Amino acid sequence: MWRELRSLAAWGPRSLCTAPGATIFALSSGRGRCGVAVIRTSGPASRQALQSLTAPRALPRARRASLRLLCDPRSRAPLDRALVLWFPGPHSFTGEDCAEFHVHGGPAVVSGVLQALGGVPGLRPAQAGEFTRRAFAHGKLSLPEVEGLADLIHAETEAQRRQALRQLHGELGQLTRGWAETLTKALAHVEAYIDFSEDDSLEEGVLERADRDVRALEVALGAHLRDARRGQRLRSGAHVVVTGPPNAGKSSLVNLLSRKPVSIVSSEPGTTRDVLEIPVDLAGFPALLSDTAGLREGVGPVEQEGVRRARQRLEQADLVLAVLDASDLASPTSRDFLDSVVAPLASQDPSASSQRLLLVLNKCDLLPAEGPRLQPGPHPHLLLSCLTEAGLDGLLGALKKELAVLCGDPSTGPPLLTRARHLHHLQRCLEALGRYRQEADLALAAEALRVARRHLTQLAGGGSSEEILDIIFRDFCVGK
């Protein structure tokens, strides 16, 4: 029975979401054995579904949990004793009539309740993201809030959670609506001047006020676009590359930061031949940590290719963790690394460069009590022992500071742009505002303002095409 119900998933997502009068159901909590599993429905048949499984008891009070015996509506065989909730529309997550069944989380119980719901007329299994899509269609969530909800579900670090929660609370949508209102007012002033410029009743300075508002909006949009890369790093992870000469302890550092044996550690130089990547939570921020081959002239073609890939990945890094052996700073490989890699990165203006640098002197457990006999030039550095973990807290503190610069602080300041879609619409809006300022014909200038306003509306979800919506909602899990 349940296999037949799941076969309905072969229908196209658009046909399912637009089916008139369809009531959907799905397991909304995680699969597998658990204490409590949540099964939800949404649509006009939700009342019938709840009554069918809890008969002969009356419908529970709205938004109040009630303990009920669930029975198969056909055989009346008991399924489970569960908490049920009734959410009559429009006061529900989707804006439709909704019901929830909080059942015991054993696979047999969940399967039995799902099969029972599948036998209720008018119900069908939900598609991925269909509950949220219905909430969007009924005006319960804006598109930025939908994206914030998706990011919150997938958040793996504290910084991602804070940023996603701000977007889910509508901060980006409110900011966008404020910009759109500014453009609406400016457009109204321009069109009023076109229509009534010869009318004495038109107050003076109408065009000047519109120009002033547009210039202020250009400044605000430009600041957000310059900051857009930080939001994307926060959502996807900053690229942190661990580099250094052979046997400096790069692989040991990667294993220490990831808390798992990702890389092979050996005293033999050149053990790492390829780039090894692992997503990690670094001091509350998401990062893609890359272990690279030791930078030296390779003794063979395989190691030479590894060094080439290491240098290529180094150019793509957001944050470079340069690792040196604190007990071997005088060696030619260490001095060459300091001159060729560390010095150029350290000499860059931090405010103008997108790359950040942390110099780590590993193996400090091998040093005398007074510290390294040689200093690695004028560059600031951190002492660390991957073996004893001495200096790890200091390194994590420095990483948190650097990643906060790269990813932004999601708890303060304006909301960040986290998706390419946000960036696209703001760029097109800014281009249209540029055309407005350069256009001598007022009718064409007004059209440029309309285009700019349309892009802000699309950023908030108004006028978005079905293809774009399909891409956004397909990233949700079934049941959400």
Side-chain angles (χ1 to χ4, degrees), residues 357-371:
L357 169 70
L358 280 178
L359 177 58
V360 179
L361 302 187
N362 186 31
K363 305 183 183 181
C364 68
D365 54 294
L366 301 179
L367 295 176
E370 64 271 13

Side-chain angles (χ1 to χ4, degrees), residues 256-300:
L256 182 61
L257 292 176
S258 61
R259 293 296 180 181
K260 62 179 70 174
V262 178
S263 302
I264 297 175
V265 176
S266 172
S267 59
E268 178 184 343
T271 303
T272 303
R273 302 294 183 90
D274 205 347
V275 178
L276 301 177
E277 294 183 334
I278 180 171
V280 295
D281 179 344
L282 287 182
F285 288 90
L288 183 64
L289 194 60
S290 297
D291 186 13
T292 61
L295 298 183
R296 67 169 179 170
E297 295 299 322
V299 295

Side-chain angles (χ1 to χ4, degrees), residues 3 5 18 29 61 65 91 122-123 135 154 169 190 202 227 237 249 265 314 350 364 397 422 426 433 453 465 468 471:
R3 290 179 181 175
L5 292 173
T18 58
S29 53
R61 294 176 60 185
H91 304 296
L123 267 69
H154 294 101
H169 285 167
V190 172
L202 186 68
D227 216 24
V265 176
L314 189 60
C364 68
H422 305 163
L426 284 195
L433 294 181
R453 187 179 180 278
S465 69
I468 292 175
I471 292 172

Side-chain angles (χ1 to χ4, degrees), residues 8 62 153 156 174 185 199 289 297 374 415:
L8 292 172
I153 292 172
E156 296 182 347
Q174 292 170 9
K185 184 178 179 181
D199 193 332
L289 194 60
E297 295 299 322
L374 298 174

